[in-house]
Amino acid sequence: MELKSLQQTVTRRVTEVSPELISLSQYLHTNPEIPFEEVKACAALVMLMKKHGFEVETQCCDISTAFKARYSSGKPGPRIAFLAEYDALKGLGHACGHNIIAASSSGAAIALKSVIDETGGEVLLIGTPGEEGDGGKVFMADRGAFDDIDFALMMHPTTGTPKLGKITTACCDVRVFFTGKDAHSSRPENGVNALTAVIQTFNNIDKLRPLFAIKDNINGVILDGGNQPNIIPGKAVCAFTLRSVNLENLERLIGFLRQSVSAAEALTGASARFEFGGKFAEYYPNQPMMERFKLHGEELGETFEYADQSKMSGSSDVGNVSVLVPTIQENLSIGPMGVIGHSPEFAEAACSELGNQVCGKGAAVLALTALDLLTDGELRRQARDSFEKQVPAFYRLNRQQ
């Protein structure tokens, strides 16, 4: 079958399932669930994929709301995975548009299945919970969820003109729990002031800032510093977000935080306990795959601009996939410029008429890009070569150990 005929089959299949994709998106939007508690969302996606002939593994990587849906042609060919996110923000609902991500990725998988018996290869939809939390992809990557795929694709809704090739920072959240000893403020010598240890930690971090790399940052807040001013607090808690250009540099930054805490312990006599969230790797957009996404997006009426890659934006656990296999997470617009993510206005855009349209458009662009990977050996070679050049060698070394 010629490529044009395969493309027509894919786009026709997207059109056929679009009502189901919109229904799924609206259901998720109406029933928002916070990270790692996406029970309804996971069940809805699993049911949809089973309906369309996929074999589904639930509780993937021992995560109750993670899954893998798989369809194999039984013929040689690349294994292509679409990534689905479906968690929402506490108090804001789907203010990051993950309902649209889930719909577009599931639609892309269903559409690609319609041609994969002809092309060969395998198509997967991988359900990755908790992106807004500690990062489901972080734990899934560590547990081998992406070891059996060749390429990974997803799209993310945005507003205004979509920016191609946006990169992100490596990131992790850390809580530090200090334990001292309560005492009345009239007899401070009988206590060990945990709040003083917290304050000293912040001071120590600021003293170390000249040693940070240019794009490193540690930002923190005090979560608990006591309740009464006439009581020396025996317990105090602070939380930090650490960002750096890559995970290797992030570990160095974590070392500075540990130094700061250790010095505060030595000075005050309080003891500290660390609680780490998932460590998000920086994201490497695969250039050859991105260009095909752009091509097919433009064919469907989208316009794009290239991102300024000297400027990093936020963090996402998709980075932990992009250091393992060639990956894209490109954007499609669901609203006008000025509507910012993680806002009530963005949540409204995620269930708008344009948001509904992007469920199908996203599915089509992703599926057509994946079809190129299935049928174009030169594109696959270019994507792998780009991956090898982009991703630092220490990620491969760490994976081999």
Side-chain angles (χ1 to χ4, degrees):
M1 190 181 294
E2 293 183 355
L3 178 59
K4 186 173 181 179
S5 180
L6 292 170
Q7 290 173 333
Q8 290 172 343
T9 300
V10 164
T11 54
R12 182 169 59 248
R13 189 66 178 130
V14 170
T15 300
E16 291 169 353
V17 301
S18 282
E20 292 180 83
L21 305 183
I22 293 170
S23 177
L24 172 67
S25 176
Q26 294 294 309
Y27 174 76
L28 300 187
H29 196 278
T30 305
N31 297 276
E33 297 167 301
I34 61 175
F36 299 107
E37 296 183 18
E38 312 96 326
V39 176
K40 292 179 181 179
C42 181
L45 281 156
V46 166
M47 183 170 66
L48 177 67
M49 301 314 289
K50 284 182 176 179
K51 174 185 174 183
H52 287 280
F54 285 74
E55 293 183 3
V56 182
E57 171 195 351
T58 56
Q59 299 188 9
C60 182
C61 298
D62 294 322
I63 300 173
S64 63
T65 54
F67 69 89
K68 271 189 180 183
R70 183 188 306 265
Y71 181 82
S72 176
S73 68
K75 302 176 184 177
R79 295 160 296 183
I80 296 179
F82 301 101
L83 309 181
E85 296 174 1
Y86 34 90
D87 61 321
L89 291 152
K90 187 174 183 178
L92 284 172
H94 278 287
C96 203
H98 291 188
N99 56 311
I100 296 173
I101 294 174
S104 63
S105 286
S106 57
I110 293 166
L112 197 65
K113 176 179 177 286
S114 68
V115 297
I116 206 163
D117 286 337
E118 180 73 23
T119 64
E122 192 170 294
V123 57
L124 298 93
L125 178 71
I126 303 180
T128 63
E131 193 276 338
E132 300 290 359
D134 284 339
K137 298 182 197 67
V138 176
F139 305 113
M140 294 176 75
D142 289 344
R143 298 170 189 176
F146 309 105
D147 289 353
D148 64 343
I149 65 172
D150 298 305
F151 304 96
L153 302 88
M154 63 180 292
M155 59 76 58
H156 200 296
T158 189
T159 56
T161 303
K163 300 290 194 297
L164 290 163
K166 289 169 65 175
I167 60 176
T168 66
T169 57
C171 171
C172 75
D173 290 335
V174 186
R175 292 194 179 198
V176 186
F177 300 80
F178 281 97
T179 300
K181 182 181 178 182
D182 290 328
H184 196 276
S185 64
S186 64
R187 300 291 300 275
E189 69 275 13
N190 292 335
V192 176
N193 196 320
L195 177 59
T196 297
V198 165
I199 293 170
Q200 189 60 44
T201 296
F202 278 82
N203 291 337
N204 292 341
I205 290 169
D206 286 338
K207 290 172 184 175
L208 289 173
R209 285 190 190 277
L211 301 179
F212 290 8
I214 294 297
K215 294 184 179 180
D216 285 354
N217 189 40
I218 299 179
N219 185 67
V221 294
I222 298 174
L223 300 179
D224 182 6
N227 297 312
Q228 298 293 332
N230 67 332
I231 299 296
I232 303 299
K235 294 186 183 301
V237 184
C238 49
F240 300 93
T241 295
L242 289 70
R243 297 186 189 274
S244 191
V245 292
N246 57 42
L247 280 184
E248 188 173 48
N249 284 11
L250 187 68
E251 291 294 343
R252 180 172 178 268
L253 205 57
I254 289 171
F256 287 142
L257 176 61
R258 289 189 181 278
Q259 282 180 255
S260 299
V261 170
S262 294
E265 287 179 299
L267 183 68
T268 65
S271 60
R273 175 176 64 85
F274 290 88
E275 187 177 279
F276 285 86
K279 295 177 183 176
F280 288 37
E282 70 280 14
Y283 165 58
Y284 293 94
N286 187 270
Q287 184 81 23
M289 292 166 62
M290 181 186 78
E291 291 297 337
R292 294 300 178 98
F293 183 97
K294 175 178 181 288
L295 171 67
H296 295 302
E298 289 173 340
E299 290 171 346
L300 295 177
E302 192 70 80
T303 58
F304 298 95
E305 295 176 355
Y306 287 97
D308 180 353
Q309 292 197 336
S310 68
K311 297 178 181 178
M312 293 189 172
S313 60
S315 301
S316 172
D317 61 0
V318 74
N320 296 70
V321 184
S322 76
V323 300
L324 300 177
V325 296
T327 301
I328 56 168
Q329 178 190 255
E330 295 304 328
N331 298 134
L332 295 174
S333 182
I334 62 170
M337 181 67 72
V339 176
I340 61 172
H342 292 207
S343 71
E345 293 77 17
F346 198 98
E348 185 177 343
C351 67
S352 66
E353 180 59 34
L354 182 55
N356 290 343
Q357 292 173 15
V358 169
C359 293
K361 180 188 285 188
V365 176
L366 288 171
L368 290 168
T369 303
L371 178 60
D372 288 345
L373 289 166
L374 285 175
T375 58
D376 188 341
E378 178 60 19
L379 174 62
R380 294 195 297 272
R381 185 193 65 77
Q382 291 173 359
R384 286 192 290 264
D385 286 350
S386 179
F387 169 80
E388 294 291 334
K389 292 174 183 176
Q390 274 186 300
V391 178
F394 73 84
Y395 284 110
R396 290 186 287 281
L397 293 173
N398 288 343
R399 198 177 184 190
Q400 293 165 6
Q401 291 173 355

